[in-house]
């Protein structure tokens, strides 16, 4: 094909018959009919066609392949079947699940509080009979408080005990009317003794002032002169003859809901967000503009930033060497300068070692070795560093020519949000599928029947109630004995696995689409004139149409590795108490191995997607070609990765740091002469951290596009070096800046 293009160039200046093309049919190939037309007609217009076709053929052979076929079809079909099964699972879960079981609190009988069309419609709040029992160990194990829970219309507003009500009832029956609304069933009068009430679990032994929080009645705590109180009291009767204090009640409340302490903080945080939301949006907008400017200006500042950082590190190490030498010299004249580490032995006070000249001498030697190593690396790798910096500048230029790529992270965010939402909805519907299941809960946490299934209607007459005095039959979760309910756990695992697969597929699709767009930039002989129109849209459509199977294949491998890591973490948490030192060591080794494996798979996948975007081959061939290409240029890869990582990390810190400093000055009211920011904030660090984290994430989104651009251009550059030699028949496609560095290297090689 390249020979045909060369002959077409010759025919611009000589007639076809002078070139003697009639006997050179071996170069025509699929263009034989066109060559036949030329031999017959000898027309210049047809010669121009050959020139155009020949050059296009060269470009197509070396650049982004236009004619493609579907790759990894089997994996594509499996992926589609999994998606169909995922949709069917969502429909089945939607039919059997009930998310109201999460939205509404559930009483001990499994009934919803506040649900319309039920007897509890006007009782939206959950009330605990004996909140003090929520400090039991069973709360942690079973995630249920071992006391009766009922639905009420409002929380108690005063201190009362059952024994007090029995005396007050004789004077005024309205006291019992108020107290009975917190009983399990409507009783006409408090006729039962306290012992019978405790056995039958009909009424609470005491109530105290409470307020609804998360649709549950929690004590109304307050602080008076630094002392914790509940309803303006520090001590109160619990109804069983014991005197309790507010601290005990607070501990019990914390046992059932750890977020109780955050109630006041949450209100203040909400107030801060309501005051500063527009300032936060302004800060994030500025972060977006700064990230965009940083990426565009890297073509001018990449080299400066890298060398500034490098010489800064060399200077810091040099200062460290000088400091170590000064300390060594000062200690040399001391009386105990002859002492070494062997004389003082092992000391818990680390400062003792800094009083030895041997310590500073060792530090000085280490820093000298490090300094010499860095300088030698810069000397011997200077050409590769220059190429890496030139590629960084080229990436900035490519994004400048294809600015739509900076918008693509928004599309990825939308796709990821859809996947996460669908996974969460299915997980909730699966978790709420079935009928109420009741379990035995013992207040003391010691019962041989604990956690066994029970029937609350007949529980008091069973052997379990007699064997475990004080045990109760309470609602635990939703389940069933049908085939569907038996495989709920399996469905949850399937839901998680397909979720990981889809997440990785969305990321792979973005990487392949961006790689195709940036590859079309690199393989354009005349930049930007030869860049095809809508390169990102074209690359995205090409990836979806032809390479869904290949992207699904790479995503599947990564999802399997991530699934093993999650299973390992789950087993670690479940078996944490039963682990010995050997099992802990093996666990750490496995975690480390799977972490390394995941990183390696991500690296190979990313480069395989670049090769898929360029040549349109299947995943395995693309991964093999990318791996072999990178291994043949391992030094270039190492230098390029380090330089790119440094520039991107520096860019993220720079963007987040600049916005963070401005936000700090604004939210702490230190810019009154320039701009008046929000005043009277409860916690200025709340909007400040929001702006800093948001700015970092925005910068990460922009720089992820830039990183993919650099990786694509780097692989194209390596391919260009291996397939072309810079001649008229096989010209380089790299930019003039890269070509200049390459020519300088060749000239130096010839001189040597």
């Amino acid at each position: 094909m390249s020979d045909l293009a060369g002959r077409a160039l010759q025919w611009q200046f000589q007639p076809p018959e002078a070139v003697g093309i009639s006997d050179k049919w071996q170069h025509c190939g699929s263009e034989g009919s066109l060559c036949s037309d030329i031999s017959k007609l000898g027309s210049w217009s047809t010669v121009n066609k050959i020139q155009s076709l020949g050059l296009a053929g060269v470009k197509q052979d070396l650049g982004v392949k236009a004619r493609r076929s579907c790759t990894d079809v089997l994996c594509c079909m499996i992926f589609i079947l999994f998606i169909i099964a995922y949709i069917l699972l969502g429909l089945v879960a939607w039919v059997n699940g009930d998310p109201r079981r999460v939205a509404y609190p559930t009483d001990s009988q499994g009934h919803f509080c506040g649900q319309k069309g039920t007897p509890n419609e006007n009782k939206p709040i959950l009330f605990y009979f004996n909140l003090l029992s929520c400090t039991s160990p069973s709360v942690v194990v079973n995630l249920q408080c071992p006391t009766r829970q009922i639905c009420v219309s409002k929380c108690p507003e005063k201190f009362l005990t059952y024994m007090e009500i029995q005396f007050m009832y004789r004077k005024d029956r309205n006291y019992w009317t108020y107290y009975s609304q917190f009983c399990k069933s409507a009783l006409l009068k408090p006729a039962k003794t306290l012992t019978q009430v405790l056995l039958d679990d009909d009424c609470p032994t005491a109530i105290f002032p409470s307020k609804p929080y998360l649709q549950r009645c929690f004590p109304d705590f307050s602080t008076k002169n630094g002392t914790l109180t509940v309803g303006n009291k520090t001590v109160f009767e619990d109804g069983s003859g014991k005197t309790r204090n507010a601290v005990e009640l607070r501990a019990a409340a914390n046992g059932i809901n750890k977020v109780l302490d955050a109630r006041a903080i949450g209100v203040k945080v909400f107030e801060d967000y309501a005051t500063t939301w527009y300032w936060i949006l302004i800060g994030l907008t500025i972060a977006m503009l700064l990230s965009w400017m940083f990426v565009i200006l890297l073509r001018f500042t990449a080299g400066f930033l890298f060398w500034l950082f490098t010489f800064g590190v060399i200077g810091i190490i040099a200062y460290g060497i000088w400091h170590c030498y000064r300390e060594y010299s000062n200690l040399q004249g001391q009386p105990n300068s002859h002492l070494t580490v062997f004389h003082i032995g092992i000391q818990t006070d680390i400062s003792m070692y800094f009083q030895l000249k041997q310590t500073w001498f060792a530090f000085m030697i280490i820093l000298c070795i490090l300094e010499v190593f860095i300088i030698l690396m810069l000397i011997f790798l200077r050409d590769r560093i220059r190429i890496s910096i030139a590629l960084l500048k080229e990436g900035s230029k490519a994004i400048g020519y294809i600015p739509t790529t900076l918008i693509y992270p928004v599309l990825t965010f939308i796709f990821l949000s859809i996947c996460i939402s669908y996974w969460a909805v299915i997980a909730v519907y699966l978790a709420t599928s079935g009928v109420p299941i009741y379990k035995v809960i013992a207040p003391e946490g010691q019962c041989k029947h604990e956690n066994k299934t029970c029937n609350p209607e007949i529980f008091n007459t069973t052997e379990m109630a007699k064997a475990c005095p004080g045990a109760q039959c309470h609602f635990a979760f939703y389940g069933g004995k049908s085939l569907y309910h038996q495989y709920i756990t399996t469905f949850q695992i399937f839901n998680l696995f397909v979720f990981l697969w889809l997440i990785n597929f969305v990321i792979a699709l973005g990487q392949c689409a961006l790689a195709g767009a940036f590859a079309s930039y690199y393989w354009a002989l005349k930049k930007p004139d030869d860049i095809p129109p809508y390169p990102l849209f074209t690359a995205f459509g090409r990836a979806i149409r032809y390479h869904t199977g290949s992207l699904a294949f790479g995503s599947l491998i990564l999802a399997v590795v991530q699934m093993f890591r999650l299973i390992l973490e789950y087993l670690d948490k479940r078996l944490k108490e039963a682990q010995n030192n050997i099992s802990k060591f093996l666990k750490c080794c496995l975690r480390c191995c799977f972490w390394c494996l995941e990183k390696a798979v991500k690296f190979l996948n990313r480069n395989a997607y670049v090769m898929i975007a360029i040549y349109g081959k299947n995943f395995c061939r693309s991964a093999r070609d990318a791996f072999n290409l990178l291994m043949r240029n391992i030094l270039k890869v190492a230098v390029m990765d380090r330089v790119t990582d440094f520039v991107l990390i520096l860019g993220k810190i720079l963007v987040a740091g600049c916005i963070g400093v401005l936000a700090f000055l604004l939210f702490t009211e230190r810019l009154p002469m320039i701009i008046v920011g929000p005043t009277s904030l409860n916690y200025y660090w709340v909007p400040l951290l929001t702006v800093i984290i948001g700015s970092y994430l925005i910068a990460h989104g922009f720089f992820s596009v830039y990183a993919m651009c650099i990786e694509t251009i780097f692989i194209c550059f390596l391919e260009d070096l291996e397939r072309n030699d810079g001649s008229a028949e096989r010209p380089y496609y790299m930019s003039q800046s890269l070509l200049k560095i390459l020519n300088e290297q060749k000239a130096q090689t010839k001189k040597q």
Side-chain angles (χ1 to χ4, degrees):
M1 187 70 72
S2 60
D3 188 71
L4 181 62
R7 292 181 175 277
L9 287 170
Q10 286 183 319
W11 295 340
Q12 278 188 323
F13 307 100
Q14 303 179 47
E17 57 271 15
V19 183
I21 64 168
S22 59
D23 58 341
K24 303 294 183 182
W25 300 112
Q26 66 269 26
H27 301 295
C28 292
S30 61
E31 288 80 28
S33 60
L34 187 55
C35 293
S36 177
D37 292 339
I38 294 173
S39 65
K40 293 178 182 178
L41 300 176
S43 62
W44 287 107
S45 61
T46 316
V47 170
N48 292 334
K49 280 186 179 181
I50 283 195
Q51 181 190 1
S52 174
L53 181 59
L55 291 175
V58 174
K59 184 177 178 180
Q60 178 178 332
D61 183 51
L62 291 176
V64 180
K65 187 176 179 181
R67 294 182 180 179
R68 298 176 182 239
S69 60
C70 295
T71 56
D72 296 305
V73 178
L74 179 61
C75 193
C76 179
M77 295 173 63
I78 294 174
F79 183 60
I80 293 173
L81 290 176
F82 265 77
I83 291 178
I84 293 173
Y86 200 34
I87 294 173
L88 293 177
L89 176 63
L91 293 175
V92 173
W94 181 73
V95 171
N96 292 275
D98 189 354
R100 293 175 301 178
R101 294 167 179 171
V102 177
Y104 297 101
T106 309
D107 65 10
S108 297
Q109 302 299 316
H111 302 143
F112 299 134
C113 297
Q115 183 183 358
K116 293 184 178 180
T118 65
N120 292 330
E121 180 177 358
N122 297 321
K123 299 178 179 180
I125 307 171
L126 190 68
F127 172 74
Y128 298 90
F129 270 26
N130 183 13
L131 195 62
L132 291 166
S133 64
C134 295
T135 55
S136 168
S138 63
V139 176
V140 180
V141 177
N142 305 312
L143 300 179
Q144 286 285 336
C145 183
T147 185
R148 181 166 295 281
Q149 303 157 33
I150 64 171
C151 301
V152 296
S153 57
K154 63 179 182 179
C155 295
E157 299 171 348
K158 59 182 75 173
F159 284 102
L160 283 174
T161 65
Y162 183 79
M163 296 182 68
E164 290 175 345
I165 285 296
Q166 286 183 314
F167 290 106
M168 294 178 178
Y169 174 75
R170 301 169 185 172
K171 300 179 180 178
D172 189 350
R173 296 189 176 184
N174 291 328
Y175 284 105
W176 174 246
T177 304
Y178 176 80
Y179 195 89
S180 63
Q181 63 181 324
F182 304 108
C183 294
K184 180 178 67 173
S185 56
L187 300 176
L188 297 177
K189 56 182 180 179
K192 292 185 177 181
T193 63
L194 180 61
T195 304
Q196 289 177 319
V197 168
L198 290 173
L199 290 175
D200 297 339
D201 208 18
D202 285 330
C203 294
T205 58
I207 60 175
F208 36 79
S210 306
K211 286 186 177 181
Y213 179 60
L214 298 177
Q215 293 183 274
R216 289 161 175 81
C217 289
F218 283 103
D220 184 14
F221 293 110
S222 60
T223 304
K224 188 175 182 181
N225 296 327
T227 304
L228 185 67
T229 64
V230 55
N232 294 325
K233 288 186 177 182
T234 56
V235 294
F236 55 90
E237 297 290 333
D238 66 353
S240 59
K242 296 181 180 179
T243 301
R244 304 290 188 121
N245 56 48
V247 176
E248 293 180 82
L249 191 59
R250 180 61 171 267
N254 288 339
I256 190 171
N257 197 334
K258 298 294 184 182
V259 298
L260 187 63
D261 288 334
R263 178 173 56 178
I265 296 177
V267 173
K268 293 180 180 179
V269 168
F270 179 79
E271 292 175 354
D272 289 342
Y273 276 128
T275 306
T276 60
W277 65 269
Y278 52 91
W279 291 106
I280 294 175
L281 290 180
I282 292 173
L284 297 180
T285 304
I286 296 174
M288 183 177 65
L289 295 175
L290 275 180
S291 301
W292 180 80
M293 289 176 59
F294 187 85
V295 170
I296 298 300
L297 293 177
L298 270 178
R299 70 176 73 175
F300 309 110
T301 60
F304 171 76
L305 290 175
F306 175 79
W307 291 116
L308 178 66
F309 174 79
T310 302
F311 287 120
V313 170
I314 292 175
I316 292 172
I317 295 176
Y319 172 79
I321 294 172
W322 174 80
H323 180 75
C324 291
Y325 175 75
R326 189 182 65 175
E327 293 291 335
Y328 175 80
S329 300
N330 293 336
L331 289 172
Q332 199 165 8
Q334 299 293 330
N336 297 325
S337 61
H338 65 282
L339 294 177
T340 63
V341 175
F342 298 103
H343 290 100
I344 66 172
I346 299 175
Q347 299 290 331
T348 56
D349 187 5
I350 300 178
S351 62
M352 293 286 292
Y353 296 103
F354 292 105
Q355 298 176 14
L356 302 175
K357 67 175 185 178
Q358 188 184 45
T359 303
W360 293 106
F361 183 76
F363 284 159
M364 184 173 64
I365 295 298
I366 293 172
L367 291 177
C368 286
I369 294 173
L370 184 60
E371 184 88 333
V372 171
F373 176 77
I374 292 175
I375 293 174
L376 290 177
M377 290 292 290
L378 291 175
I379 293 173
F380 289 107
L381 298 177
R382 63 187 184 279
D383 291 333
R384 290 182 175 87
I385 291 174
R386 287 181 64 198
I387 292 175
S388 299
I389 294 173
L391 286 172
L392 290 175
K393 296 179 179 179
E394 194 67 20
S396 176
K397 194 184 300 182
I399 291 178
Y401 287 132
I402 314 176
T404 51
T405 53
L406 292 176
I407 306 175
Y408 191 85
V410 178
L411 184 62
T412 301
F413 175 77
I414 293 173
F415 286 155
L416 291 178
S417 299
I418 292 172
C419 294
I420 294 172
S421 301
Y422 190 77
W423 166 77
V425 168
I426 289 183
V428 169
Y429 272 90
L430 286 174
T432 57
S433 297
V435 296
I437 300 297
Y438 301 90
K439 296 281 188 179
V440 176
I441 297 178
E444 301 300 327
Q446 295 178 350
C447 175
K448 63 180 181 180
H449 298 293
E450 191 170 14
N451 278 332
K452 288 186 178 180
T453 306
C454 58
N455 187 341
E457 296 181 358
I458 60 172
F459 176 73
N460 291 332
T461 61
T462 60
E463 291 295 327
M464 289 186 290
K466 297 177 181 178
C468 302
Q472 299 172 354
C473 182
H474 284 179
F475 165 79
F477 55 87
Y478 292 94
K481 296 183 179 181
S482 66
L483 185 65
Y484 167 76
H485 294 106
Q486 290 176 3
Y487 287 95
I488 289 291
T489 304
T490 305
F491 292 148
Q492 288 283 23
I493 295 174
F494 177 79
N495 180 31
L496 178 61
F497 176 73
V498 180
F499 165 72
L500 293 175
W501 196 357
L502 286 174
I503 289 292
N504 290 311
F505 178 81
V506 169
I507 296 173
L509 178 61
Q511 291 174 343
C512 190
L514 291 172
F518 293 126
S520 66
Y521 161 82
Y522 185 91
W523 295 112
L525 193 59
K526 294 181 180 178
K527 303 175 178 63
D529 299 334
D530 290 344
I531 299 176
Y534 312 112
L536 180 61
F537 178 79
T538 304
F540 180 82
R542 194 162 51 224
I544 288 290
R545 181 178 178 182
Y546 296 109
H547 307 303
T548 297
S550 298
L551 300 179
F553 192 8
S555 306
L556 175 62
I557 297 172
L558 188 56
V560 170
V561 175
Q562 292 173 340
M563 194 69 185
F564 274 112
R565 285 193 66 190
L566 290 175
I567 292 173
L568 191 64
E569 294 293 334
Y570 173 77
L571 292 177
D572 177 42
K573 292 185 180 298
R574 291 299 300 267
L575 304 176
K576 201 165 188 177
E577 299 298 329
Q579 290 180 358
N580 54 30
N581 292 332
I582 297 177
S583 63
K584 289 180 180 179
F585 174 75
L586 292 175
K587 175 202 68 177
C588 292
C589 291
L590 286 173
R591 291 172 69 178
C592 180
C593 291
F594 276 108
W595 180 84
C596 294
L597 180 61
E598 183 179 354
K599 293 296 180 182
V601 170
K602 284 183 177 180
F603 176 77
L604 291 174
N605 281 8
R606 193 164 57 248
N607 290 284
Y609 299 147
V610 175
M611 301 298 280
I612 290 171
I614 298 174
Y615 297 114
K617 299 177 183 178
N618 61 40
F619 177 80
C620 292
R621 289 187 62 187
S622 299
R624 182 198 63 190
D625 293 344
F627 180 78
N628 291 335
L629 179 65
L630 295 175
M631 288 300 103
R632 290 194 298 269
N633 301 272
I634 188 65
L635 280 179
K636 291 187 179 75
V637 173
V639 174
M640 188 69 213
D641 282 347
R642 297 289 72 77
V643 173
T644 303
D645 290 344
F646 156 69
V647 172
L648 295 184
I649 291 173
L650 184 63
K652 294 174 187 177
I653 294 175
L654 187 64
V655 171
C658 290
I659 300 300
V661 170
L662 291 176
F664 175 77
L665 296 175
L666 181 68
F667 294 140
T668 55
E669 303 179 48
R670 301 190 183 189
L671 294 174
M673 302 299 295
I674 302 174
I675 187 172
V676 179
T679 59
S680 303
L681 292 177
N682 296 300
Y683 309 107
Y684 74 87
W685 50 266
V686 172
L688 176 62
L689 287 179
T690 304
V691 170
I692 293 175
I693 295 173
S695 301
Y696 183 86
L697 293 176
I698 289 174
H700 178 74
F702 275 83
F703 295 153
S704 63
V705 174
Y706 182 69
M708 199 66 209
C709 175
I710 296 301
E711 195 147 1
T712 303
I713 291 177
F714 181 57
I715 288 181
C716 292
F717 173 72
L718 298 179
E719 285 281 298
D720 199 5
L721 287 178
E722 292 192 355
R723 292 175 177 266
N724 298 316
D725 56 10
S727 62
E729 291 80 11
R730 291 160 59 188
Y732 286 125
Y733 283 79
M734 65 187 70
S735 64
Q736 292 300 317
S737 58
L738 286 170
L739 190 60
K740 182 180 177 182
I741 297 174
L742 201 63
N743 290 334
E744 290 177 1
Q745 292 180 1
K746 288 183 178 180
Q748 291 177 1
T749 305
K750 287 181 180 179
K751 288 180 181 180
Q752 294 173 359

